[in-house]
């Protein structure tokens, strides 16, 4: 079969980093081709080249046998290639319909024809089992529906090649099932799909062929029925991935956090409460997991503890025996509370800054001399954290956006560790992080607990919570419906509590 895309000897270098090194892959028309590898393997760089985000590279790209080099995403879209990034690329202040037709607006005479765009958008969304109002602002939509808005945009462009980067990383099980049905329909129409994922169960359920990248190089391309998850994981990391052994139970100390009757109102919503009557304690040296389905209130709970909730919560929050009422994250930071947010791109990174600047942004007071910033001290602070967390970067002067997702996450964690927190809040910290980097983060959390830190972590992946946590709290629709010690917790018991609406 003639390839629809031929990637021939493509290389891409950034300052101090070889992101891709002589990669050659053939993509067949109509197939679902999975691209896998650790963070920093070159997957996203390759997809950005294919979709016109990165126009400059070495080597040759053939589309239907003809050489192409896209000047930007618009040129790639006109050639039939669209990309849905892991961090969705929508304009939150615009409606779903306006996002779908952004840059290609329908007009009547000289005026925008909003009605025509909403009708066309509704037809596209219905085909995707998405029954939202096309006039609804994107910022009001769930992540799963926002993703389908992106797919609807690709359909409106009559895309022949669709690139999906970690498409299920923030979806509920029901939304994942819906996405898989959409993918099946796209394939029935002959759409070629390039699928990036760290989840081996998805890869082996969906893919026709699997390409493994490691350290910017092509390792191998295999048919799905010629391999297995263990072999693919071994090819990704160049070694066997062993179960992460964090040792026995951690030594816990005094209560660092006590929450009593925490509630958070939900104005103009039928449920009335985002959180209702939540009570628990956390001790030094303990990792407390928060489980629950999408919309259960996991992120909202951490925001209440960090002073960043949409309105002040009710109830009592006691930090080291003293009641606190944070009205701003700066107050929480000064008191020793830190939050690594779920949305790394929008709420975690300063994209125009370097690695070092991202790490030291909250602790510049430690790098000042006579009221002036001492660059030498700043570099020492950042460099120490890069070394401690084994952040893979060409240097602290590199742009943060040049790092892989896992290393960006480490830099954000390093930023907060410099504040010397008593309580570290981690909201789905391994989202979009590969198996090797996950193991590193697990060991880091374990080490921090041994140093006396108290950690609260949320995760969409139950095996992760079962590996990490001393105790697990389960939320369902804003209420605490279960609490399990490490030896009591199982996936079944957690899921039963996560669906136990009261």
């Amino acid at each position: 079969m003639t390839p629809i895309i031929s990637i021939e000897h493509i290389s891409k270098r950034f300052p101090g980093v070889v992101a891709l090194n002589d990669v050659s892959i053939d993509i067949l028309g109509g197939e679902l081709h999975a691209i896998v590898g650790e963070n920093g393997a070159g997957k996203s760089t390759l997809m950005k080249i294919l979709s016109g985000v990165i126009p400059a590279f070495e080597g040759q790209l053939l589309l239907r046998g003809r050489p192409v080099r896209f000047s930007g995403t618009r040129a790639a879209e006109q050639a039939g290639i669209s990309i849905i990034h892991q961090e969705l690329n929508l304009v939150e202040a615009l409606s779903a319909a306006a996002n779908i037709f952004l840059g290609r607006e329908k007009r009547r005479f000289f005026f925008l024809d909003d009605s025509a765009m909403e009708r066309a958008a509704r037809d596209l969304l219905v085909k995707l089992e998405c029954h939202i109002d096309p006039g609804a602002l994107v910022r009001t939509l769930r992540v799963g529906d926002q993703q389908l808005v992106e797919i609807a945009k690709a359909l409106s462009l009559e895309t022949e090649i669709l690139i999906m980067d970690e498409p299920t990383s923030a979806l509920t099980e029901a939304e994942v099932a819906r996405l898989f049905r959409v993918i099946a329909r796209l394939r029935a129409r002959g759409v070629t799909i390039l699928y990036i994922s760290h989840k081996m169960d998805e890869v082996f359920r969906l893919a026709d062929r699997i390409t493994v990248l490691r350290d910017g190089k092509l390792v191998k391309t295999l048919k799905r029925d010629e391999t297995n998850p263990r072999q693919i994981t071994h090819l990704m990391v160049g070694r066997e991935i062993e179960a992460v052994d964090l040792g026995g139970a951690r030594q816990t100390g005094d209560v660092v956090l006590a929450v009593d009757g925490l509630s958070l109102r939900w104005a103009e919503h039928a449920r009335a409460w985002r959180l209702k009557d939540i009570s628990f304690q956390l001790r030094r040296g303990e990792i407390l997991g928060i489980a629950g389905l999408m919309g259960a209130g996991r992120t909202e709970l951490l925001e209440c503890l960090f002073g960043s909730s949409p309105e002040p919560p009710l109830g009592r929050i006691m930090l080291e025996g003293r009641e606190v009422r944070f009205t701003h994250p700066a107050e929480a930071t000064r008191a020793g509370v830190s939050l690594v947010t779920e949305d790394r791109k929008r709420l975690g990174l300063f994209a125009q800054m370097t690695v070092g600047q991202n790490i030291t942004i909250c602790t510049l007071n430690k790098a000042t001399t006579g009221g002036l910033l001492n660059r030498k001290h700043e570099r020492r602070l950042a460099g120490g954290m890069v070394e401690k967390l084994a952040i893979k970067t060409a240097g602290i002067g590199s742009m943060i956006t040049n790092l892989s997702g896992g290393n960006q996450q480490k830099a954000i964690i390093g930023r907060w560790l410099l504040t010397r927190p008593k309580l570290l809040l981690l909201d789905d910290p391994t989202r979009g992080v590969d198996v090797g980097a996950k193991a590193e983060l697990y060991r880091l959390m374990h080490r921090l607990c041994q140093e006396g830190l108290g950690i609260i972590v949320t995760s969409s992946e139950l095996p992760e919570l079962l590996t990490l946590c001393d105790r697990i709290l389960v939320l369902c629709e804003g209420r605490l419906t279960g609490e399990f010690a490490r030896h009591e917790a199982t996936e079944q018991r957690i899921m039963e509590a996560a669906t136990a609406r009261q």
Side-chain angles (χ1 to χ4, degrees):
M1 185 182 294
T2 303
I4 191 169
I5 300 176
S6 292
I7 298 162
E8 297 186 348
H9 307 291
I10 284 185
S11 298
K12 177 63 184 177
R13 292 169 174 80
F14 296 104
V17 177
V18 180
L20 291 172
N21 188 352
D22 194 29
V23 173
S24 297
I25 310 169
D26 284 338
I27 309 298
L28 305 180
E31 75 170 337
L32 192 146
H33 196 120
I35 310 291
V36 302
E38 289 190 280
N39 286 103
K43 308 183 301 293
S44 293
T45 300
L46 181 59
M47 296 305 105
K48 287 176 181 177
I49 288 173
L50 292 177
S51 59
V53 177
I54 297 176
F57 57 89
E58 300 172 32
Q60 184 170 240
L61 183 63
L62 301 178
L63 181 63
R64 303 178 193 87
R66 295 184 178 181
V68 292
R69 188 173 290 256
F70 303 122
S71 58
T73 55
R74 182 64 58 86
E77 288 171 352
Q78 290 172 347
I81 302 175
S82 297
I83 184 169
I84 299 173
H85 297 277
Q86 178 182 349
E87 309 290 350
L88 298 178
N89 203 20
L90 298 170
V91 182
E92 294 186 344
L94 295 181
S95 69
N99 270 276
I100 289 170
F101 293 102
L102 188 64
R104 304 171 294 112
E105 291 80 3
K106 295 180 180 291
R107 296 180 180 273
R108 187 174 184 182
F109 303 111
F110 298 104
F111 303 99
L112 292 179
D113 193 340
D114 291 326
S115 295
M117 286 191 287
E118 289 188 9
R119 285 195 301 272
R122 181 176 286 107
D123 290 342
L124 290 168
L125 291 167
V126 166
K127 292 177 183 177
L128 299 177
E129 298 184 32
C130 184
H131 300 284
I132 62 170
D133 177 5
L137 297 183
V138 160
R139 66 167 171 255
T140 67
L141 303 180
R142 294 167 62 93
V143 173
D145 289 332
Q146 289 183 9
Q147 193 174 66
L148 291 182
V149 170
E150 288 261 34
I151 296 176
K153 180 178 180 179
L155 290 181
S156 74
L157 292 162
E158 298 185 353
T159 289
E160 295 180 277
I161 301 163
L162 181 61
I163 301 167
M164 307 182 83
D165 190 353
E166 294 286 353
T168 66
S169 61
L171 303 188
T172 66
E173 289 186 15
E175 287 169 338
V176 170
R178 178 178 65 174
L179 178 64
F180 288 173
R181 291 194 296 271
V182 168
I183 287 173
R185 285 201 289 275
L186 291 173
R187 296 195 64 191
R189 290 178 46 183
V191 176
T192 303
I193 298 176
L194 293 173
Y195 193 91
I196 298 176
S197 180
H198 291 119
K199 299 178 180 179
M200 288 297 109
D201 58 333
E202 293 179 7
V203 168
F204 276 84
R205 174 175 176 173
L206 298 173
D208 297 302
R209 292 191 299 152
I210 304 166
T211 288
V212 182
L213 300 179
R214 184 171 74 237
D215 297 329
K217 298 178 181 178
L218 172 68
V219 178
K220 205 167 190 179
T221 295
L222 293 161
K223 292 181 180 178
R224 179 184 60 183
D225 55 7
E226 293 176 348
T227 185
N228 57 64
R230 185 179 181 85
Q231 181 187 12
I232 293 297
T233 302
H234 178 75
L235 292 172
M236 285 169 56
V237 299
R239 63 188 188 279
E240 293 294 334
I241 288 288
E242 299 174 359
V244 182
D245 183 10
L246 300 179
R250 287 172 278 263
Q251 290 294 113
T252 58
D254 298 334
V255 173
V256 66
L257 176 72
V259 175
D260 185 24
L262 183 71
S263 299
L264 181 64
R265 295 186 186 278
W266 199 347
E268 300 179 4
H269 192 279
R271 209 166 83 194
W273 299 94
R274 293 179 188 270
L275 296 169
K276 184 64 174 174
D277 199 25
I278 306 293
S279 299
F280 63 91
Q281 291 184 342
L282 173 73
R283 294 182 176 273
R284 298 184 191 281
E286 181 182 29
I287 298 181
L288 178 65
I290 309 294
L293 302 176
M294 191 74 72
R298 296 174 306 180
T299 294
E300 289 80 359
L301 175 58
L302 299 195
E303 288 175 344
C304 286
L305 300 177
F306 192 59
S308 60
S309 53
E311 61 178 85
L314 306 177
R316 300 178 72 200
I317 301 173
M318 308 286 289
L319 186 64
E320 294 186 317
R322 182 175 62 86
E323 185 169 359
V324 293
R325 287 193 174 275
F326 302 132
T327 59
H328 192 278
E331 296 176 4
T333 302
R334 286 194 294 269
V337 180
S338 297
L339 170 64
V340 176
T341 61
E342 177 186 26
D343 192 338
R344 182 170 61 238
K345 178 182 177 183
R346 192 165 61 92
L347 300 175
L349 294 178
F350 295 89
Q352 303 306 314
M353 292 185 177
T354 65
V355 173
Q357 290 168 337
N358 266 272
I359 291 173
T360 61
I361 188 70
C362 292
T363 47
L364 291 177
N365 60 312
K366 295 183 179 180
T368 55
T369 303
L372 298 176
L373 182 62
N374 186 316
R375 294 292 184 186
K376 183 178 179 181
H377 290 172
E378 183 186 15
R379 288 194 295 272
R380 178 175 52 79
L381 287 172
M385 198 53 66
V386 166
E387 183 178 352
K388 178 177 181 177
L389 303 187
I391 299 172
K392 295 178 182 176
T393 174
I396 60 174
S398 296
M399 298 303 294
I400 190 72
T401 50
N402 288 345
L403 269 60
S404 66
N407 285 297
Q408 289 176 1
Q409 192 75 313
K410 287 184 185 179
I412 295 170
I413 292 173
R415 172 196 305 163
W416 291 114
L417 292 183
L418 280 178
T419 69
R420 297 189 179 280
K422 306 164 186 173
L423 171 62
L424 181 61
L425 310 173
L426 302 171
D427 195 2
D428 218 349
T430 65
R431 176 187 168 199
V433 172
D434 64 72
V435 288
K438 280 184 181 182
E440 291 179 25
L441 289 173
Y442 294 167
R443 285 188 281 267
L444 171 62
M445 291 180 224
H446 182 64
R447 190 168 74 244
L448 293 172
C449 280
Q450 288 178 321
E451 295 171 3
L453 192 61
I455 296 178
I456 299 179
V457 59
T458 77
S459 179
S460 306
E461 299 182 25
L462 295 185
E464 178 165 273
L465 294 178
L466 294 170
T467 297
L468 275 175
C469 301
D470 300 290
R471 286 184 300 129
I472 298 173
L473 304 181
V474 186
L475 299 180
C476 178
E477 295 186 347
R479 296 178 182 271
L480 184 60
T481 53
E483 179 175 347
F484 304 99
R486 187 187 190 109
H487 66 276
E488 301 171 326
T490 64
E491 290 193 42
Q492 181 176 342
R493 296 185 74 180
I494 292 172
M495 283 306 300
E496 286 173 355
T499 55
R501 294 174 174 80
Q502 295 182 343

